[in-house]
Amino acid sequence: MNQPGVPAGHDHPGTGKKVTMYRNGSIYTAADPFATAMVVDGDTVAWVGSEQAATSIADSSMDIIDLRGALLAPGFVDSHVHLTETGLALSGLQLGAVRSARELLDAVASSGGTGTILGHGWDETLWDDPTLPTLEELDRASGGRHVYLSRIDVHSALISPSLAAEANVAGLDGWSGTAQAVRAAHTAARLAARKFPEDQRRAHQQRALMEASANGYVALAEMSAPHICGPEDLRLAASWNGQPGSPEVLPYWGELATSEEHARSVLAGLGTDVRGLAGDLNMDGSIGSRTAALLDDYSDAPGQHGSLYLGVDDAAKHIAATSLLGIQAGFHVIGDAGLAAVLDALDVAAAEVGEQRIRAAGHRLEHVEMADQAAIDRLAKYSITVSVQPGFDSAWGAAGGLYSQRLGARSQSMNPFASFYASGVPIAFGSDSPVTPLRPWSSVRACLEHSNPEQRISARAAFLGHTRAGWRATKHRNPLMGQLVPGAPASFAVWEVDELMVQVADSRVQSWSTDPRARTPLLPALDTGTDPRCLQTVREGQELFAHEALRS
């Protein structure tokens, strides 16, 4: 990270605080849609306004940064990440570009070092021949070393014979004697491959946090769970909040509670505070690994309809217990059968503790890729926040893509962003990194270019879903988080942009406007195919990242 803890400005005489003026740019703020300058005093936005006003208040004690036309906007919040997994994906074998089993085996054979060979990102739906390597082939390519190669969705993996033996997967659900492990067998293999010493775990998380800072993120919701890692991983993730120079980590723990007393016990045993017993508490799996629970069979696998990991009664007890405590519950849910089970569980819990307690707790669901209007209306009834990943549609929603292969005609109704908004379902956006990369503007673009035109949303709605809504999804107490108005925390990013405009989702409407009467803050033009470059990331006055071009 860039000089952790270095303030964005210099001491202001008599205050002991740091004061920085940013000017000659574009400030994305509700306080003044035409603002070109902003003053940060310590950890707080002190003022936003015009260039003329900035000239009148500037003084020699301030650190003055000339934006030279850059955009200064609220920092991004990723509503669903996995820090250790992201660091591993960045430092291990990156398999997203392989297009055959042979290429994958060549990557394994060419990996250096010792110990377990870790890799991520293969996707056989992109291969001409989707046949996966065998156990024997992985053993030969690795020279007998442990191998763990997670599929792009991280709901299955290719593992070597030696790792299979150490993880004792024989006899577990999801193990058929091939190199691919799913469900319980995958969980066992992943945990066996994740036995890191503390310094290595810290290095992986730091790598992920540096990647986030360099891409304009000021906060990340860490979705830990027992099947992903142990509590020590969660505690380390939460510990970054006590260190300057890091995005804020918003920790969740996905462990099932059977009663209010049990929920208290789980929380007390974690050794760190969490935002809720939510996140990747799996109701089902993923489309890519065919473990998402579907009401009808997979189109490319007759007789298979995925896996429902939790029953309605268990989910209802969890929701009731957390509602009584006033904390967030939530589940990872992707398939329509998985969502139906969660919705039925909400009804059961509401009958026990009352609808008002359910709504007040601010429960959340992760992904929710398959939801018809009836399901969306039930989500709205209970004020359930949906944390979704626009990158999923960008990666898999195109004609002939993964969704089409796995789901046929059902693929056309995936990820209904516009329907969520229209029905009043609170929505926040994330990456599920390492499943999709930490590239927030690409995620905003994916909302504008949804594969289903009816589910596209405007750039402004998408931007708010990636910023202010991310804070609200965590029930953050400060209502000014995610805004740049006087008195708000100074958490923002500076972006080098070619053009600013208003971008809407409906192609029948003019897609840009510079009419001052609109009073709509402008965002980067995203139809160029390239993302704006991050020049600086600041969290509550502390600089997390700075590009050399910022002050050159």
Side-chain angles (χ1 to χ4, degrees):
M1 294 178 191
N2 183 75
Q3 300 180 359
V6 175
H10 300 305
D11 287 336
H12 190 283
T15 68
K17 294 182 178 181
K18 314 295 180 178
V19 179
T20 303
M21 174 182 281
Y22 295 82
R23 62 183 304 179
N24 191 30
S26 180
I27 313 299
Y28 190 96
T29 172
D32 179 356
F34 312 120
T36 64
M38 184 175 85
V39 173
V40 175
D41 189 353
D43 60 359
T44 304
V45 176
W47 172 87
V48 293
S50 69
E51 200 63 26
Q52 181 178 5
T55 298
S56 69
I57 65 174
D59 64 52
S60 60
S61 70
M62 296 179 179
D63 181 15
I64 298 179
I65 296 179
D66 186 348
L67 293 172
R68 289 175 288 187
L71 171 68
L72 190 155
F76 285 100
V77 180
D78 195 305
S79 68
H80 190 123
V81 302
H82 304 279
L83 290 178
T84 301
E85 299 276 341
T86 297
L88 279 168
L90 291 170
S91 58
L93 295 179
Q94 298 183 26
L95 304 173
V98 304
R99 290 296 179 266
S100 67
R102 175 45 53 196
E103 288 185 20
L104 185 146
L105 290 167
D106 288 345
V108 170
S110 63
S111 63
T114 60
T116 302
I117 298 172
L118 298 168
H120 168 73
W122 58 271
D123 182 354
E124 81 287 1
T125 67
L126 302 176
W127 302 357
D128 290 335
D129 178 359
T131 304
L132 298 175
T134 66
L135 279 169
E136 293 75 16
E137 288 171 332
L138 275 177
D139 196 41
R140 286 196 299 269
S142 66
R145 291 165 63 184
H146 286 4
V147 178
Y148 174 89
L149 310 175
S150 53
R151 194 183 181 280
I152 185 62
D153 55 14
V154 202
H155 279 264
S156 64
L158 298 173
I159 63 176
S160 62
S162 60
L163 180 60
E166 180 174 326
N168 198 25
V169 299
L172 292 180
D173 178 45
W175 177 252
S176 60
T178 68
Q180 187 175 21
V182 297
R183 299 189 295 277
H186 175 239
T187 295
R190 174 158 59 179
L191 293 175
R194 296 291 186 270
K195 294 178 180 177
F196 305 125
E198 180 75 6
D199 60 340
Q200 189 175 349
R201 190 182 305 275
R202 178 173 293 276
H204 289 315
Q205 292 193 3
Q206 185 175 39
R207 178 76 181 274
L209 291 166
M210 291 175 65
E211 178 78 2
S213 297
N215 285 282
Y217 289 98
V218 296
L220 308 160
E222 164 65 16
M223 295 298 173
S224 296
H227 68 278
I228 298 174
C229 58
E232 68 280 356
D233 198 273
L234 171 71
R235 288 191 291 270
L236 178 58
S239 74
W240 293 100
N241 289 333
Q243 303 178 36
S246 168
E248 183 167 354
V249 177
L250 305 162
Y252 285 87
W253 181 247
E255 183 172 349
L256 191 69
T258 58
S259 66
E260 182 181 0
E261 182 180 1
H262 182 220
R264 290 184 189 277
S265 176
V266 170
L267 292 168
L270 292 176
T272 188
D273 291 335
V274 294
R275 294 274 165 175
L277 296 177
D280 273 346
L281 174 50
N282 284 7
M283 176 58 72
D284 67 350
S286 73
I287 300 292
S289 293
R290 296 194 189 90
T291 51
L294 307 184
L295 294 173
D296 298 304
D297 291 351
Y298 282 89
S299 297
D300 59 353
Q304 294 187 34
H305 52 267
S307 304
L308 199 61
Y309 297 136
L310 297 174
V312 171
D313 289 344
D314 287 337
K317 290 176 182 177
H318 182 76
I319 295 167
T322 51
S323 297
L324 289 170
L325 289 179
I327 66 169
Q328 289 182 298
F331 303 92
H332 162 116
V333 56
I334 286 180
D336 48 6
L339 180 58
V342 171
L343 293 170
D344 288 347
L346 282 164
D347 290 341
V348 172
E352 178 182 343
V353 303
E355 289 184 16
Q356 183 54 37
R357 274 204 173 100
I358 302 292
R359 287 192 290 268
H363 301 310
R364 56 184 290 161
L365 296 177
E366 310 301 313
H367 314 311
V368 192
E369 295 194 69
M370 301 178 72
D372 61 16
Q373 189 57 51
I376 292 171
D377 290 343
R378 293 173 73 186
L379 291 170
K381 172 185 175 181
Y382 291 116
S383 300
I384 303 298
T385 293
V386 175
S387 163
V388 294
Q389 292 66 45
F392 287 6
D393 180 77
S394 179
W396 305 315
L402 171 71
Y403 291 157
S404 177
Q405 294 176 42
R406 295 283 192 267
L407 302 172
R410 290 168 291 178
S411 65
Q412 298 173 12
S413 59
M414 298 289 287
N415 297 298
F417 303 156
S419 295
F420 285 139
Y421 271 110
S423 300
V425 174
I427 187 169
F429 294 116
S431 63
D432 197 11
S433 180
V435 178
T436 65
L438 291 162
R439 297 293 185 272
W441 290 113
S442 292
S443 189
V444 173
R445 182 187 298 109
C447 294
L448 281 165
E449 300 177 353
H450 196 293
S451 60
N452 179 356
E454 294 182 359
Q455 295 303 334
R456 293 172 183 168
I457 59 175
S458 69
R460 181 173 182 269
F463 182 74
L464 292 175
H466 282 85
T467 53
R468 190 175 181 183
W471 293 109
R472 290 183 172 181
T474 66
K475 297 183 65 180
H476 200 285
R477 293 183 181 277
N478 188 339
L480 296 181
M481 296 300 285
Q483 303 180 71
L484 295 178
V485 295
S491 295
F492 56 88
V494 177
W495 302 93
E496 182 180 77
V497 294
D498 294 326
E499 183 181 4
L500 295 171
M501 60 171 55
V502 174
Q503 296 153 98
V504 297
D506 192 337
S507 61
R508 296 170 298 178
V509 179
Q510 185 172 322
S511 64
W512 60 273
S513 172
T514 56
D515 187 343
R517 293 171 297 181
R519 296 191 64 82
T520 301
L522 304 179
L523 288 168
L526 297 174
D527 56 1
T528 63
T530 59
D531 290 353
R533 180 171 66 168
C534 186
L535 299 178
Q536 186 187 40
T537 306
V538 174
R539 171 197 162 200
E540 297 186 28
Q542 297 292 326
E543 187 175 86
L544 309 184
F545 167 81
H547 193 280
E548 60 183 10
L550 178 71
R551 295 182 174 92
S552 63

